[in-house]
Amino acid sequence: MAKVARYFPAILVAGTAQAQGVVPPPAEGLSFAASERVRYEAIDGQARVGFNQSDQLVNFRTTLLARYQHGPVSVVGELWDSRVYGGNRRSSVTTGEVNTLEPVQAYVQLDLGAALGRGSTLKLQAGRFMVNLGSRRLVAADDYRNTTNGYTGVRADWSAGRWAATGIYTMPQRRRPDELDSLLSNEPAIDREGTALVLWGGLISRRRTIGAAMVEMSYFHLGEQDTLGRPTRDRSLDTAAIRIVRDLAPATLDYEIEAIGQTGLQSGSLAVGAARQPVRAWFVHARLGYSWEGAWKPRLMAEFDYASGDAPGGRYGRFDTLFGMRRADLAPSGLYNAILRSNVVAPSLQAEAVPDVRTELMLSYRPMWLAARTDSFSSTGVRDVRGRSGDFAGHQLDGRVRYRLSKAVRLEADVVLLAKGRFLRDAPGAPPGRWTKYGALNLMVNL
């Protein structure tokens, strides 16, 4: 953390950009957009197994987007260049940080208007694209992470009155390279997609169904198979969800509840011929919030997340969040990356405020437990197979400050403190120390 000043001048010079994966509003002809983001992040007291106890990285992410619009036809291409510097062989550098010179998006979209009836809309899309669906807890284009999720396939969006639906059939892009030395060298390699990894399904929603609340139902199937040099858990997962949400509004209670069930089969390990296990897993998220009017526009929110873990008995019970985001609900990824929607029970309180048009503040407190004592806690890799280390993981304090220098330029600072509970201190192989301290400085530019 003491070396922030060493990198910050380079951050200011380089500029940055936050890529949202959102195409600018259609305009006839050719248009361009660009973004860049520089992040300095550091950690002390790493909670995850197998990595440096203390580490620091500088992440660069650049995106260039081109769009051609002619009547109902759009042609879009977007290049992402995600790099990391300052790591070594014990750094937690993965394809979550590095994806060099990657054409994440290259698609054609056709707007068919009211082809399915008066008052309706229909859009079809084919090629490589990013996807954000529903709550983004299952299918998302991650934004806090230095790289994103890309999908190759087809998509259809339909709406009529209070109804809306989206269907997809995709082959998620498997980011390359995935060898550590290649990642540390920021070597380019085009991502691959194929029928060995397929995600299909969709969602349907209806606004103002329960009072002012929207009701949404979704279903996704993930099919995965081994390929040469890439063993997998051979997942065949069916994931169904129902979500009820009332949007934020001043001086009004807002709420959300989402329940997700997951069934299917997957191999017990990566070994060839490993026995298949039936999957029975689930997840629930609940939120209740209130926003006040007036100065600072304060908001207070209570949340609860439960993601099942694996336990003895022959069935696999660890919830798989598929391609979901995590920052908005749980904690930062990057060097921290300790909290995932797997084997975690986490209530939280969160306060937000907007002191002025340039500044946004957020602070949250979250105690965390294991849903299953014998499974590894969330994404830390810490596990006690005998279940003798208790089930309390620790207290997490998460803060964020955003300050907009101009319409195009924004600064962001993120700080996380994790006071380790008994499990993260005493479980076999747990990294030493009582505290995990994480901080990140971001400079983002959208052009």
Side-chain angles (χ1 to χ4, degrees), residues 167-209:
I168 60 169
Y169 184 93
T170 67
M171 296 171 290
Q173 296 162 24
R174 290 178 286 188
R175 292 184 296 277
R176 298 175 62 242
D178 53 13
E179 303 86 9
L180 182 56
D181 287 339
S182 298
L183 292 170
L184 292 172
S185 300
N186 294 301
E187 293 183 8
I190 298 299
D191 296 349
R192 289 177 178 167
E193 58 273 283
T195 55
L197 181 63
V198 173
L199 176 74
W200 59 266
L203 56 82
I204 185 168
S205 64
R206 187 175 185 268
R207 295 182 290 114
R208 301 192 306 276
T209 299

Side-chain angles (χ1 to χ4, degrees), residues 50-311:
F51 302 117
N52 293 323
Q53 275 294 286
S54 297
D55 213 342
Q56 53 189 329
L57 297 172
V58 179
N59 299 265
F60 289 82
R61 186 178 75 190
T62 307
T63 73
L64 299 172
L65 182 144
R67 176 190 183 100
Y68 179 74
Q69 181 77 32
H70 181 69
V73 179
S74 302
V75 181
V76 175
E78 186 172 20
L79 183 74
W80 278 53
D81 187 71
S82 302
R83 300 171 185 247
V84 67
Y85 297 92
N88 56 51
R89 292 192 60 82
R90 284 188 61 83
S91 296
S92 57
V93 174
T94 68
T95 59
E97 285 72 43
V98 177
N99 199 14
T100 308
L101 295 173
E102 181 62 36
V104 174
Q105 298 205 102
Y107 67 83
V108 176
Q109 181 175 285
L110 180 61
D111 188 342
L112 296 176
L116 296 183
R118 187 176 179 179
S120 68
T121 65
L122 177 64
K123 293 182 180 180
L124 303 178
Q125 189 172 319
R128 279 186 160 206
F129 45 78
M130 292 185 287
V131 183
N132 287 296
L133 295 181
S135 66
R136 302 175 63 238
R137 296 185 182 104
L138 293 173
V139 182
D142 206 306
D143 182 61
Y144 186 88
R145 202 178 68 203
N146 205 43
T147 64
T148 192
N149 297 325
Y151 309 80
T152 302
V154 294
R155 170 177 177 165
D157 292 277
W158 167 85
S159 66
R162 289 188 286 168
W163 290 90
T166 297
I168 60 169
Y169 184 93
T170 67
M171 296 171 290
Q173 296 162 24
R174 290 178 286 188
R175 292 184 296 277
R176 298 175 62 242
D178 53 13
E179 303 86 9
L180 182 56
D181 287 339
S182 298
L183 292 170
L184 292 172
S185 300
N186 294 301
E187 293 183 8
I190 298 299
D191 296 349
R192 289 177 178 167
E193 58 273 283
T195 55
L197 181 63
V198 173
L199 176 74
W200 59 266
L203 56 82
I204 185 168
S205 64
R206 187 175 185 268
R207 295 182 290 114
R208 301 192 306 276
T209 299
I210 302 176
M214 178 192 73
V215 175
E216 174 186 275
M217 293 183 291
S218 64
Y219 167 82
F220 296 99
H221 175 80
L222 179 75
E224 178 185 60
Q225 299 175 4
D226 295 347
T227 56
L228 185 62
R230 192 183 182 98
T232 71
R233 296 292 292 268
D234 302 304
R235 292 174 294 171
S236 179
L237 300 179
D238 297 293
T239 305
I242 183 167
R243 177 173 171 246
I244 303 171
V245 57
R246 178 170 181 170
D247 292 335
L248 282 63
T252 304
L253 278 173
D254 60 84
Y255 55 86
E256 178 186 16
I257 183 165
E258 182 167 31
I260 306 175
Q262 195 166 70
T263 61
L265 294 169
Q266 72 174 47
S267 298
S269 72
L270 296 177
V272 177
R276 302 270 276 172
Q277 292 179 296
V279 174
R280 297 291 185 274
W282 62 284
F283 167 82
V284 65
H285 171 87
R287 181 198 81 215
L288 181 64
Y290 188 86
S291 302
W292 283 267
E293 297 179 300
W296 287 58
K297 300 178 182 177
R299 170 172 165 75
L300 189 62
M301 177 171 64
E303 293 185 293
F304 177 80
D305 289 274
Y306 183 107
S308 62
D310 192 31

